[in-house]
Short mmCIF file of all heavy atoms in Angstrom, two decimals:
data_model
loop_
_atom_site.label_atom_id
_atom_site.label_comp_id
_atom_site.label_asym_id
_atom_site.label_seq_id
_atom_site.Cartn_x
_atom_site.Cartn_y
_atom_site.Cartn_z
N GLY A 251 134.16 111.64 102.93
CA GLY A 251 134.71 110.77 101.90
C GLY A 251 135.32 111.58 100.77
O GLY A 251 136.41 111.26 100.27
N GLY A 252 134.64 112.64 100.37
CA GLY A 252 135.14 113.49 99.29
C GLY A 252 136.44 114.17 99.65
O GLY A 252 137.37 114.26 98.83
N ILE A 253 136.54 114.63 100.89
CA ILE A 253 137.77 115.30 101.34
C ILE A 253 138.94 114.32 101.31
O ILE A 253 140.03 114.63 100.82
CB ILE A 253 137.57 115.89 102.75
CG1 ILE A 253 136.61 117.07 102.67
CG2 ILE A 253 138.90 116.31 103.37
CD1 ILE A 253 136.06 117.53 103.99
N LEU A 254 138.70 113.09 101.83
CA LEU A 254 139.77 112.09 101.85
C LEU A 254 140.19 111.72 100.42
O LEU A 254 141.36 111.55 100.13
CB LEU A 254 139.32 110.84 102.60
CG LEU A 254 139.06 111.03 104.10
CD1 LEU A 254 138.56 109.73 104.72
CD2 LEU A 254 140.32 111.50 104.81
N LEU A 255 139.19 111.61 99.55
CA LEU A 255 139.51 111.25 98.17
C LEU A 255 140.31 112.35 97.49
O LEU A 255 141.32 112.10 96.81
CB LEU A 255 138.21 110.97 97.39
CG LEU A 255 138.39 110.54 95.93
CD1 LEU A 255 139.18 109.23 95.86
CD2 LEU A 255 137.05 110.37 95.25
N SER A 256 139.87 113.59 97.71
CA SER A 256 140.57 114.74 97.14
C SER A 256 142.02 114.75 97.63
O SER A 256 142.97 114.95 96.85
CB SER A 256 139.85 116.01 97.56
OG SER A 256 140.53 117.15 97.13
N ALA A 257 142.18 114.47 98.95
CA ALA A 257 143.53 114.49 99.52
C ALA A 257 144.39 113.39 98.93
O ALA A 257 145.59 113.55 98.72
CB ALA A 257 143.44 114.33 101.04
N ARG A 258 143.77 112.23 98.64
CA ARG A 258 144.53 111.13 98.11
C ARG A 258 144.93 111.39 96.66
O ARG A 258 146.05 111.12 96.25
CB ARG A 258 143.73 109.83 98.19
CG ARG A 258 144.59 108.65 97.82
CD ARG A 258 144.11 107.40 98.46
NE ARG A 258 143.05 106.79 97.67
CZ ARG A 258 142.23 105.86 98.14
NH1 ARG A 258 142.30 105.51 99.42
NH2 ARG A 258 141.33 105.33 97.38
N LEU A 259 143.99 111.93 95.89
CA LEU A 259 144.28 112.19 94.48
C LEU A 259 145.23 113.36 94.31
O LEU A 259 146.00 113.41 93.35
CB LEU A 259 142.98 112.49 93.72
CG LEU A 259 141.94 111.38 93.65
CD1 LEU A 259 140.66 111.90 93.03
CD2 LEU A 259 142.49 110.19 92.88
N GLY A 260 145.13 114.35 95.21
CA GLY A 260 145.96 115.54 95.08
C GLY A 260 145.54 116.42 93.92
O GLY A 260 146.28 117.29 93.48
N ARG A 261 144.36 116.16 93.39
CA ARG A 261 143.85 116.97 92.29
C ARG A 261 142.34 116.76 92.21
O ARG A 261 141.81 115.82 92.79
CB ARG A 261 144.50 116.58 90.97
CG ARG A 261 144.49 115.06 90.75
CD ARG A 261 145.17 114.68 89.46
NE ARG A 261 144.29 114.97 88.35
CZ ARG A 261 144.72 115.34 87.15
NH1 ARG A 261 146.00 115.46 86.92
NH2 ARG A 261 143.87 115.57 86.18
N GLY A 262 141.66 117.65 91.51
CA GLY A 262 140.21 117.48 91.38
C GLY A 262 139.84 116.89 90.04
O GLY A 262 139.79 117.60 89.06
N ASP A 263 139.62 115.56 90.02
CA ASP A 263 139.25 114.91 88.77
C ASP A 263 137.75 114.97 88.56
O ASP A 263 136.97 114.78 89.49
CB ASP A 263 139.69 113.43 88.79
CG ASP A 263 141.17 113.30 88.48
OD1 ASP A 263 141.69 114.19 87.78
OD2 ASP A 263 141.78 112.33 88.95
N VAL A 264 137.35 115.17 87.32
CA VAL A 264 135.92 115.20 87.00
C VAL A 264 135.30 113.83 87.30
O VAL A 264 135.83 112.80 86.89
CB VAL A 264 135.71 115.55 85.51
CG1 VAL A 264 134.23 115.41 85.16
CG2 VAL A 264 136.19 116.95 85.23
N GLY A 265 134.21 113.84 88.07
CA GLY A 265 133.47 112.59 88.33
C GLY A 265 134.23 111.57 89.16
O GLY A 265 133.90 110.39 89.14
N ALA A 266 135.25 112.04 89.93
CA ALA A 266 136.06 111.09 90.70
C ALA A 266 135.23 110.30 91.70
O ALA A 266 135.53 109.14 92.00
CB ALA A 266 137.16 111.85 91.43
N GLY A 267 134.16 110.92 92.25
CA GLY A 267 133.41 110.25 93.31
C GLY A 267 132.27 109.40 92.83
O GLY A 267 131.68 108.64 93.61
N ASP A 268 131.94 109.51 91.54
CA ASP A 268 130.72 108.84 91.07
C ASP A 268 130.66 107.34 91.35
O ASP A 268 129.62 106.84 91.76
CB ASP A 268 130.52 109.12 89.57
CG ASP A 268 130.28 110.61 89.30
OD1 ASP A 268 130.19 111.35 90.30
OD2 ASP A 268 130.20 111.01 88.13
N PRO A 269 131.76 106.58 91.17
CA PRO A 269 131.67 105.13 91.41
C PRO A 269 131.36 104.78 92.87
O PRO A 269 130.96 103.66 93.15
CB PRO A 269 133.06 104.61 91.04
CG PRO A 269 133.75 105.71 90.34
CD PRO A 269 133.10 106.98 90.72
N TYR A 270 131.56 105.74 93.76
CA TYR A 270 131.35 105.42 95.18
C TYR A 270 129.89 105.17 95.51
O TYR A 270 129.57 104.55 96.51
CB TYR A 270 131.93 106.51 96.07
CG TYR A 270 133.43 106.46 96.10
CD1 TYR A 270 134.19 107.14 95.16
CD2 TYR A 270 134.09 105.66 97.03
CE1 TYR A 270 135.57 107.05 95.15
CE2 TYR A 270 135.47 105.56 97.03
CZ TYR A 270 136.20 106.26 96.08
OH TYR A 270 137.55 106.14 96.08
N LEU A 271 128.98 105.66 94.68
CA LEU A 271 127.57 105.43 94.96
C LEU A 271 127.26 103.94 94.98
O LEU A 271 126.76 103.41 95.97
CB LEU A 271 126.69 106.12 93.91
CG LEU A 271 125.22 105.69 93.94
CD1 LEU A 271 124.58 106.08 95.27
CD2 LEU A 271 124.44 106.29 92.78
N MET A 272 127.60 103.25 93.88
CA MET A 272 127.23 101.84 93.80
C MET A 272 127.91 101.03 94.88
O MET A 272 127.30 100.18 95.51
CB MET A 272 127.61 101.27 92.41
CG MET A 272 126.72 101.78 91.30
SD MET A 272 125.03 102.04 91.82
CE MET A 272 124.29 100.59 91.16
N GLN A 273 129.21 101.30 95.09
CA GLN A 273 129.93 100.51 96.09
C GLN A 273 129.37 100.74 97.50
O GLN A 273 129.23 99.81 98.28
CB GLN A 273 131.41 100.85 96.06
CG GLN A 273 132.04 100.44 94.75
CD GLN A 273 133.54 100.49 94.82
OE1 GLN A 273 134.12 100.68 95.88
NE2 GLN A 273 134.20 100.34 93.68
N ALA A 274 129.04 102.00 97.81
CA ALA A 274 128.53 102.30 99.14
C ALA A 274 127.16 101.66 99.34
O ALA A 274 126.88 101.07 100.38
CB ALA A 274 128.44 103.82 99.35
N VAL A 275 126.31 101.76 98.33
CA VAL A 275 124.99 101.14 98.43
C VAL A 275 125.13 99.63 98.57
O VAL A 275 124.47 99.00 99.39
CB VAL A 275 124.12 101.51 97.20
CG1 VAL A 275 122.88 100.65 97.15
CG2 VAL A 275 123.75 102.98 97.24
N ALA A 276 126.05 99.05 97.80
CA ALA A 276 126.26 97.61 97.89
C ALA A 276 126.71 97.23 99.29
O ALA A 276 126.18 96.29 99.89
CB ALA A 276 127.29 97.16 96.86
N ALA A 277 127.66 97.98 99.86
CA ALA A 277 128.14 97.65 101.21
C ALA A 277 127.00 97.72 102.21
O ALA A 277 126.83 96.83 103.05
CB ALA A 277 129.26 98.61 101.62
N ALA A 278 126.17 98.76 102.12
CA ALA A 278 125.08 98.91 103.07
C ALA A 278 124.06 97.79 102.91
O ALA A 278 123.54 97.25 103.90
CB ALA A 278 124.40 100.27 102.90
N LEU A 279 123.77 97.41 101.67
CA LEU A 279 122.78 96.35 101.45
C LEU A 279 123.32 94.98 101.85
O LEU A 279 122.60 94.17 102.42
CB LEU A 279 122.33 96.34 99.99
CG LEU A 279 121.42 97.48 99.57
CD1 LEU A 279 121.10 97.39 98.10
CD2 LEU A 279 120.14 97.49 100.40
N ILE A 280 124.61 94.74 101.57
CA ILE A 280 125.22 93.49 102.03
C ILE A 280 125.10 93.41 103.55
O ILE A 280 124.81 92.37 104.12
CB ILE A 280 126.70 93.40 101.60
CG1 ILE A 280 126.80 93.21 100.09
CG2 ILE A 280 127.40 92.25 102.31
CD1 ILE A 280 128.21 93.28 99.54
N GLY A 281 125.22 94.57 104.19
CA GLY A 281 125.13 94.63 105.64
C GLY A 281 123.82 94.14 106.21
O GLY A 281 123.76 93.70 107.35
N PHE A 282 122.75 94.22 105.42
CA PHE A 282 121.46 93.71 105.90
C PHE A 282 121.57 92.26 106.32
O PHE A 282 120.87 91.80 107.21
CB PHE A 282 120.40 93.81 104.80
CG PHE A 282 119.78 95.17 104.65
CD1 PHE A 282 120.54 96.31 104.74
CD2 PHE A 282 118.42 95.29 104.42
CE1 PHE A 282 119.96 97.55 104.61
CE2 PHE A 282 117.83 96.54 104.28
CZ PHE A 282 118.61 97.67 104.37
N ALA A 283 122.42 91.51 105.62
CA ALA A 283 122.47 90.07 105.82
C ALA A 283 123.41 89.67 106.95
O ALA A 283 123.51 88.50 107.27
CB ALA A 283 122.90 89.38 104.53
#
Side-chain angles (χ1 to χ4, degrees):
Chain A
I253 290 166
L254 294 178
L255 182 61
S256 176
R258 188 153 84 197
L259 297 172
R261 48 182 283 148
D263 280 333
V264 173
D268 296 355
Y270 287 88
L271 167 64
M272 288 325 259
Q273 294 192 9
V275 168
L279 287 178
I280 290 173
F282 278 41

